[in-house]
């Protein structure tokens, strides 16, 4: 009878040990401030990139238009 109690207690203690230790699962802490700052920086960079691209495309269109006008004027003379 004493062995049954010992085995039951041993099984119970292993069960509690496994639950308390979490089965070896590791959780890593994340820095929400760094994540938010990174997101803000990325969105600002994307906005700046699109603005620069639109200005560059407008300048390219202006130069192409001027070149076309010069080429057509040169062809007439």
């Amino acid at each position: 009878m004493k062995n049954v109690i010992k085995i039951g207690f041993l099984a119970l203690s292993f069960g509690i040990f496994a639950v308390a230790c979490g089965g070896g699962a590791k959780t890593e802490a994340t820095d929400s401030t760094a994540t938010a700052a990174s997101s803000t920086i990325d969105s600002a960079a994307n906005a700046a990139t699109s603005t620069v691209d639109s200005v560059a495309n407008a300048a390219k269109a202006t130069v192409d238009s001027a070149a076309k006008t010069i080429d057509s004027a040169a062809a007439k003379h």
Side-chain angles (χ1 to χ4, degrees):
M1 185 70 166
K2 287 183 181 181
N3 287 339
V4 173
I5 294 172
K6 287 180 185 178
I7 292 174
F9 180 73
L10 185 64
L12 180 65
S13 63
F14 278 135
I16 292 173
F17 176 75
V19 170
C21 290
K26 293 182 181 179
T27 57
E28 295 184 20
T30 58
D31 188 2
S32 61
T33 304
T35 303
S38 177
S39 176
T40 302
I41 291 169
D42 289 344
S43 66
N46 289 338
T49 300
S50 66
T51 302
V52 169
D53 286 344
S54 66
V55 169
N57 289 337
K60 183 178 176 182
T62 302
V63 170
D64 289 346
S65 173
K68 190 181 222 181
T69 304
I70 291 172
D71 287 344
S72 66
K76 290 181 182 178
H77 292 297

